[in-house]
Amino acid sequence: GAYQRTKRGDIVLFNPPESLTKIITNNGSKLSSTSLFVKRIVGLPGDQNIRLDDEGNVEINGESAVGPDRTLCADEPLRLIDRQLREGNGKELKELGPSDVYVLGD
């Protein structure tokens, strides 16, 4: 399946989850039915102790992970990533499930 072929660093495109869609529409913006998010895979199924610190450094399985340049998030007009992180969503995860990946924006 797809998860057996997935590698750290792969780029994925997907429809935004409902939580982000609500933030976008609540800010007066619109998404079309074809709108996609573009992210880079940083964590893979089974990875443990995933932490994202305030400087954007990622630690996975107790080791520093190479991730995307988080300074590019400053160009994001709605600051969705910053808003999600400020609320603590996705900053610290105990373990990824068998069908889960951890992604960050490029």
Side-chain angles (χ1 to χ4, degrees):
Y3 291 107
Q4 287 76 28
R5 295 187 309 268
T6 303
K7 299 183 301 296
R8 214 176 301 279
D10 285 353
I11 302 291
V12 293
L13 288 86
F14 58 94
N15 295 101
E18 185 178 338
S19 60
L20 292 181
T21 301
K22 285 181 182 179
I23 292 171
I24 293 167
T25 56
N26 288 343
N27 281 297
S29 296
K30 295 183 181 184
L31 290 173
S32 73
S33 61
T34 59
S35 294
L36 295 173
F37 274 28
V38 179
K39 304 291 178 191
R40 184 176 302 272
I41 294 177
V42 180
L44 297 169
D47 280 347
Q48 298 180 339
N49 303 318
I50 299 167
R51 296 187 63 237
L52 175 66
D53 67 22
D54 292 334
E55 286 80 44
N57 301 309
V58 179
E59 188 177 283
I60 298 174
N61 301 322
E63 296 182 13
S64 184
V66 176
D69 180 359
R70 303 286 298 148
T71 60
L72 297 178
C73 295
D75 294 334
E76 182 190 16
L78 294 177
R79 312 287 294 166
L80 296 176
I81 296 167
D82 288 345
R83 193 172 309 175
Q84 288 289 304
L85 294 175
R86 192 169 39 248
E87 294 171 8
N89 298 327
K91 285 187 88 165
E92 194 163 335
L93 301 170
K94 184 173 181 171
E95 183 174 2
L96 293 177
S99 298
D100 296 334
V101 293
Y102 188 79
V103 298
L104 293 174
D106 259 358

